[in-house]
Each structure stands twice: as structure tokens, then as C-alpha cells.
């Protein structure tokens, strides 16, 4: 699978086949993901790859505590409720998912079932809990680096035919995750990733979230009057190895 196909084709998967994922495949995915950049090459991330009865116990404990009203104990900082355009995007994807799953606004039972799926990490056969070293806790770089490796992980998984969803609901009850996964106190629990073979019959798996355009996200400064003279490759992309694109002062 080509890089562009992975990036453009990947989507969040929330319905999985029950088939186990071989440990060797997960190791391949992690090895690729760990090529992610990190600040000063510190590589602060660690992974707890969980399956079987241990994952079932985490699902059970997480769900029971949440339903009992036990306060959220996730270990990353939260900004509170989304507002403005961020809230609009949140509502947009929720509408897409609920439409796909035929969940009506007034259907409390189906809406509750959807929430419980999140608490159970969408019944995926594998959960990867991403942690980082507590010795660097309190700054923003460690979590930023964990975000980089998580992005690489879900894309690497997709390239192997696996689906993932980055899921903070599955770690809402941090003590449950720590107990069953035997995560030591010197690790901060950052996020978890539900992973497995996509179930193509699960309607929400066909949902593709929208992305804002580059012109809305990027500000280009210092490019006034630029005209591209790069030769175009047959597939329509500039050749990244064409030396004529580099200024004379950079050529060797």
C-alpha cells in the first residue's frame, strides 16, 4: 500500500471482527510507529498491548465504574467542553455516526449503547495503552511526542489491514487500567488505541470524517509572486529528487 493510500484511506474503525491479531503483526506495527520523531530523540513513549481476559476485565471495570458515577480519572489534562467551530465539528461527526448506525436523537437506549461501546473500547480484540515516563510529566512535549507515535501507529496498522480508533473513553477509569495491565506508577497513562480486523458489515466503519481545507488551516508567508517551475511526474506529482528545484547556493 502506497503512503498516500494509507493517509487518505485510513479512517477510525469502531466495529471489529472477533478474530485475534497475531503478536508478530502488532510488533511490526509498533516497530514502524516508533520511527516517529520525538523531541531530542527522547522517545518517551511505552506501550501496554492488552488482549484476552485482561482486556475483558478492564472493559468490565471501566464500564461498571462509569455507570456507577465514579468520576473520570484520566491522567491527561482536559480543556473542558468544546465550543465554537470545534463543537460544530464534534457534532458533525456525531451526526454522521448516528445516521450510519440508525440512532435517532430521541432513542435513549441506542445512544446509551453507543456510549457503552466506547467504555468497552468498541469490543476490539486488542487495546494498546500508550504511556510516557512520569519523570517528564507536567510539560507539553511528552504528550506531543505520544501524539506523534500514536498517529504513526494507526497509519501503520492500516497499512497491515488493521483498523484502529483512538479512544480515551477506554481509560476513563485509570485505576482499573493500571491494576489489570500492571502499569507501574512511574508511567503516565496518555491514551489507548482499540485495534483489530475491521468488520465491513458494521455501518459506522464506512463513515469518513471531513477535513477542513489547507487554505483554512495554513498561512503561507514569504511566498508572494512564486511560480512553480518544478517538472511534473507522470502521476501528477513533482519529483522530490529534481535538483533544479533547489537554489544554486544549496546545490553540491
Amino acid at each position: 500500500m502506497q503512503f498516500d493510500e494509507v493517509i487518505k484511506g485510513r479512517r477510525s474503525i469502531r466495529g471489529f471482527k472477533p478474530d485475534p491479531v497475531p503478536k508478530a503483526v502488532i510488533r511490526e506495527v509498533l516497530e514502524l510507529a516508533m520511527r516517529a520523531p520525538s523531541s531530542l530523540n527522547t522517545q518517551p513513549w511505552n506501550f501496554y498491548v492488552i488482549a484476552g481476559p485482561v482486556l475483558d476485565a478492564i472493559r468490565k471495570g471501566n464500564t461498571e465504574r462509569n455507570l456507577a458515577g465514579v468520576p473520570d480519572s484520566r491522567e491527561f489534562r482536559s480543556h473542558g467542553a468544546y465550543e465554537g467551530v470545534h463543537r460544530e465539528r464534534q457534532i458533525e461527526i456525531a451526526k454522521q455516526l448516528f445516521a450510519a448506525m440508525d440512532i435517532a436523537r430521541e432513542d435513549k437506549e441506542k445512544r446509551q449503547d453507543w456510549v457503552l461501546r466506547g467504555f468497552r473500547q468498541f469490543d476490539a480484540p486488542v487495546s494498546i495503552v500508550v504511556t510516557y515516563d512520569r519523570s517528564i510529566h507536567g510539560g507539553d512535549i511528552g504528550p506531543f511526542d505520544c501524539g506523534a507515535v500514536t498517529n504513526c501507529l494507526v497509519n501503520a496498522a492500516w497499512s497491515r489491514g488493521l483498523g484502529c480508533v483512538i479512544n480515551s473513553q477506554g481509560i476513563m477509569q485509570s485505576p482499573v487500567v493500571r491494576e489489570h495491565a500492571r502499569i507501574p506508577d512511574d508511567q503516565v497513562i496518555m491514551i489507548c488505541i482499540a485495534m483489530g480486523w475491521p468488520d465491513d458489515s458494521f455501518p459506522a466503519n464506512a463513515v469518513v470524517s471531513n477535513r477542513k481545507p489547507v487554505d483554512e488551516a495554513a498561512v503561507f508567508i514569504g511566498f508572494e509572486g512564486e511560480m512553480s517551475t518544478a517538472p511534473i511526474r507522470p502521476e501528477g506529482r513533482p519529483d522530490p529528487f529534481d535538483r533544479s528545484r533547489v537554489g544554486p547556493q544549496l546545490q553540491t
Side-chain angles (χ1 to χ4, degrees):
M1 192 180 293
Q2 296 296 315
F3 181 79
D4 287 14
E5 293 175 317
V6 173
I7 299 300
K8 293 181 178 179
R10 188 212 62 80
R11 57 190 181 275
S12 293
I13 297 299
R14 298 175 174 87
F16 301 89
K17 296 178 180 178
D19 310 37
V21 181
K23 182 178 177 180
V25 176
I26 300 173
R27 289 183 64 92
E28 282 183 16
V29 168
L30 290 174
E31 190 171 4
L32 284 172
M34 290 170 64
R35 294 303 306 170
S38 62
S39 175
L40 302 176
N41 198 36
T42 49
Q43 305 174 63
W45 48 69
N46 291 293
F47 309 95
Y48 292 80
V49 186
I50 310 164
V54 175
L55 181 52
D56 289 338
I58 290 175
R59 290 192 233 272
K60 182 174 183 291
N62 191 53
T63 300
E64 289 177 348
R65 285 168 64 100
N66 281 320
L67 288 177
V70 177
D72 170 7
S73 57
R74 285 176 288 200
E75 299 178 11
F76 56 80
R77 290 185 296 175
S78 175
H79 48 70
Y82 287 113
E83 297 179 356
V85 67
H86 305 103
R87 175 63 175 163
E88 291 171 9
R89 293 183 188 127
Q90 180 187 21
I91 292 173
E92 180 184 32
I93 187 60
K95 286 181 176 179
Q96 287 180 264
L97 291 168
F98 283 9
M101 297 298 295
D102 192 28
I103 302 175
R105 184 181 182 88
E106 65 279 2
D107 193 331
K108 294 182 179 179
E109 185 176 345
K110 282 189 175 182
R111 290 170 74 92
Q112 175 72 349
D113 178 68
W114 186 257
V115 171
L116 294 178
R117 282 178 176 273
F119 292 163
R120 300 194 309 264
Q121 301 192 41
F122 295 94
D123 299 320
V126 176
S127 173
I128 299 179
V129 179
V130 182
T131 72
Y132 65 91
D133 302 330
R134 191 173 295 280
S135 61
I136 58 173
H137 186 50
D140 292 327
I141 292 297
F144 179 87
D145 289 343
C146 286
V149 80
T150 298
N151 177 62
C152 288
L153 195 158
V154 297
N155 283 316
W158 189 263
S159 78
R160 296 301 192 267
L162 290 162
C164 296
V165 61
I166 302 169
N167 170 244
S168 69
Q169 292 168 293
I171 55 167
M172 285 183 74
Q173 299 297 333
S174 175
V176 172
V177 182
R178 282 192 179 278
E179 175 189 354
H180 294 290
R182 300 195 297 274
I183 299 175
D185 289 339
D186 67 357
Q187 294 297 298
V188 177
I189 297 176
M190 184 69 222
I191 200 69
C192 73
I193 303 159
M195 174 190 286
W197 306 108
D199 178 358
D200 292 336
S201 69
F202 191 73
N205 286 349
V207 171
V208 178
S209 55
N210 295 320
R211 292 294 185 269
K212 63 183 181 181
V214 171
D215 286 344
E216 184 179 332
V219 177
F220 292 89
I221 302 166
F223 292 86
E224 294 79 2
E226 178 185 281
M227 292 182 63
S228 176
T229 58
I232 302 299
R233 300 166 71 191
E235 59 267 45
R237 295 193 297 268
D239 183 353
F241 300 105
D242 175 43
R243 303 299 295 177
S244 68
R245 302 176 68 202
V246 187
Q249 70 276 17
L250 297 181
Q251 292 182 350
T252 57

